Amino acid sequence: LSNPYDINLHVEDPYLYTFTTEAGIIYSCRFGFVPNLSPLLGIYDLEVRDFLFYPNYPKNGLKKYYDSRILPTIMGMIKNYLQSENHVLLYVCDSSNGKEKARQKLFTQWHKTVQDTMYRHELEIEVSDEETLECGVMVSKACKHHDIIQTELLEKSSGVVLAKYGR
Amino acid sequence: MKTKISIKNDLEAVKVVREYMAEKEAFKKAAQEGTATEYMKAKAKQFVQPV
């Protein structure tokens, strides 16, 4: 993970991070709180957060281009969060433009850069005959509770979403 | 390793997933307007996080 961008922290929100690329694009990244998970996760002291990151493209538009420093910056943040063996990261690939499978493949590539220390479990949620969500969970290889993550998070993920939004 | 689940017969779950994806889309739109960081700060205030 060489040559990442410098990360900016925000006192108002310790789980919010930003960085600015050489092209002047600000990325906003957040490890979001996921409430009301299976009580068993708490019993094993597992902290689950979902991860969002978006580039802020100004209205006047900056041309999109490949930036090799984004991968080490994002994965560095994730690796830092997962330094604790009891931290678990949940992500859902953006499917608004039908490219969720491509994003999952990209995550597969990105994961290869940290696979010595992190496991990644892919999760596919069939929402309808035409729509499937590509998601995933990342966790440190040092975590001793992969079986609990499998049964209480991955296999109950629809319940997690229900709980998160208070239904 | 890949886990596959289906919620297509659980209408309540489908509804909530759609709301979740709509929220992600709102984040994305804020980013396109250059205001994702402010949007995230505002959303974070909606949850009282345990200490």
Side-chain angles (χ1 to χ4, degrees), chain A:
Chain A
L1 295 176
S2 60
N3 202 22
Y5 287 113
D6 291 335
I7 304 292
N8 299 310
L9 307 177
H10 297 266
V11 289
E12 313 96 308
D13 183 351
Y15 292 98
L16 176 65
Y17 304 87
T18 55
F19 64 91
T20 306
T21 69
E22 288 171 5
I25 297 168
I26 299 169
Y27 274 72
S28 307
C29 316
R30 188 163 196 279
F31 295 90
F33 178 60
V34 185
N36 304 319
L37 295 170
S38 162
L40 265 182
L41 292 164
I43 288 170
Y44 287 90
D45 287 333
L46 292 166
E47 178 187 295
V48 182
R49 289 188 175 268
D50 64 356
F51 184 60
L52 295 170
F53 69 95
Y54 289 102
N56 291 267
Y57 286 103
K59 279 180 179 170
N60 56 0
L62 286 170
K63 193 174 180 181
K64 294 181 183 179
Y65 71 100
Y66 175 72
D67 183 338
S68 62
R69 297 180 67 187
I70 291 171
L71 183 159
T73 308
I74 298 281
M75 293 312 291
M77 271 187 266
I78 291 175
K79 195 170 182 177
N80 187 53
Y81 175 69
L82 294 179
Q83 271 187 344
S84 167
E85 65 182 46
N86 287 336
H87 283 181
V88 181
L89 194 68
L90 179 70
Y91 67 86
V92 181
C93 296
D94 181 9
S95 60
S96 59
N97 60 0
K99 293 184 178 175
E100 63 278 7
K101 286 193 182 299
R103 293 191 173 91
Q104 186 70 285
K105 282 184 183 173
L106 183 65
F107 247 100
T108 301
Q109 294 299 317
W110 285 20
H111 174 243
K112 285 178 182 171
T113 64
V114 294
Q115 64 184 3
D116 55 328
T117 57
M118 273 184 239
Y119 283 121
R120 187 176 66 101
H121 307 260
E122 285 189 13
L123 172 64
E124 195 178 286
I125 303 177
E126 183 185 36
V127 181
S128 69
D129 289 336
E130 298 81 29
E131 186 180 3
T132 301
L133 294 181
E134 294 286 338
C135 316
V137 164
M138 298 178 83
V139 63
S140 166
K141 282 190 173 178
C143 179
K144 299 175 181 70
H145 307 300
H146 291 276
D147 53 340
I148 300 296
I149 292 168
Q150 178 68 34
T151 57
E152 299 300 316
L153 183 63
L154 289 161
E155 292 171 11
K156 292 183 179 175
S157 48
S158 60
V160 169
V161 174
L162 285 166
K164 176 168 181 169
Y165 292 95
R167 301 303 195 277

